[in-house]
Amino acid sequence: MKGITEMKISKEKRQFLKKELKEYEKTTPMTEDERKILHEWVAAGNSVHENGSMTVYEGGRPVDFLDVYREEEEIRRALDTMSHEEGSKYLLEEYDIDRDGVMTPKPPTYEELKKKTNRLYRTCRLYWEVLAANDLCDEAYEYVREHIDEEWPFDSFDWDIAQ
C-alpha cells in the first residue's frame, strides 16, 4: 500500500488542486509555515477546502484545511503551557473532549430525566397490575417491606429493563 505522499493523482486533479491552491492563497492571509503545510496537504492530493478531521460547518460543507490546522495549533500551544490535569480540564470545558479523545456525554437534561422517571414509573405500575391481576398484592407488599433496604448486587450498573 502506498503512503499518502506516494499516491497517484491524475493530471487533471493535480491541475485543479494547484489552481484552487493559487486562488486560495490570493484571498487567504497565512504565515510561511502555514503555506508550507498547506502545500504539503495539496501535494498529497487534497483540496484546500477539505480537512483530515472531517470537520464540517453546520450546513455540512467541510471546514478549510487551514482553519482546522490553525485551531489545532492553538490547542497545541495552549496545552504546552499547562499541566496534564489543567490540559484535560481545558479540553473538557472548551471542546467537550476527554484527554483520550472520547467525547464526554453531557449530563441528562431535566426533560430527559423526567422522561426516564416516567418510563420507570409506568414499568412499575404495569408490574403492579400483573401482581393485582394474579391476586399477589399482599405477598408483594410483604416482600417489599422485608427487602426494601437491602443492597442490590447490581446497584452500580446503569441499566433499564424497560427499554
Side-chain angles (χ1 to χ4, degrees):
M1 179 179 222
K2 294 183 178 196
I4 194 163
T5 57
E6 302 170 13
M7 290 176 59
K8 294 280 184 191
I9 302 168
S10 71
K11 183 178 179 181
E12 294 83 18
K13 183 175 181 179
R14 189 173 302 284
Q15 288 174 341
F16 173 80
L17 292 173
K18 283 185 178 182
K19 181 181 177 191
E20 183 183 61
L21 174 62
K22 286 181 183 181
E23 291 172 10
Y24 187 80
E25 287 178 312
K26 286 179 188 175
T27 60
T28 308
M30 65 187 81
T31 67
E32 284 306 311
D33 286 341
E34 290 173 339
R35 186 177 312 279
K36 180 182 176 198
I37 295 293
L38 183 61
H39 277 254
E40 290 173 6
W41 175 253
V42 172
N46 302 294
S47 167
V48 295
H49 302 296
E50 299 173 327
N51 64 78
S53 55
M54 300 179 70
T55 306
V56 295
Y57 293 109
E58 248 181 68
R61 184 175 60 84
V63 176
D64 291 348
F65 170 80
L66 198 52
D67 292 333
V68 172
Y69 174 80
R70 288 171 174 162
E71 181 75 16
E72 289 173 352
E73 282 299 299
E74 183 179 317
I75 293 169
R76 279 194 267 294
R77 281 192 299 274
L79 291 175
D80 284 345
T81 66
M82 301 176 192
S83 70
H84 185 80
E85 291 78 21
E86 291 169 332
S88 296
K89 184 178 178 186
Y90 166 76
L91 288 173
L92 191 58
E93 289 175 356
E94 296 296 320
Y95 299 96
D96 202 26
I97 298 174
D98 279 344
R99 196 63 184 241
D100 62 5
V102 176
M103 295 303 289
T104 301
K106 292 191 183 319
T109 64
Y110 173 77
E111 288 302 317
E112 291 168 334
L113 289 173
K114 185 177 174 183
K115 185 177 177 181
K116 281 187 172 191
T117 303
N118 286 337
R119 183 175 178 86
L120 182 58
Y121 175 78
R122 285 192 308 271
T123 301
C124 290
R125 182 74 187 179
L126 291 170
Y127 284 149
W128 190 255
E129 287 178 13
V130 170
L131 291 170
N134 290 287
D135 198 28
L136 296 170
C137 291
D138 291 337
E139 289 87 344
Y141 277 127
E142 182 63 29
Y143 188 84
V144 169
R145 274 193 297 275
E146 289 175 9
H147 300 281
I148 192 68
D149 294 322
E150 290 180 4
E151 184 176 326
W152 289 26
F154 301 106
D155 273 348
S156 62
F157 293 118
D158 180 23
W159 56 292
D160 181 359
I161 61 171
Q163 284 185 7

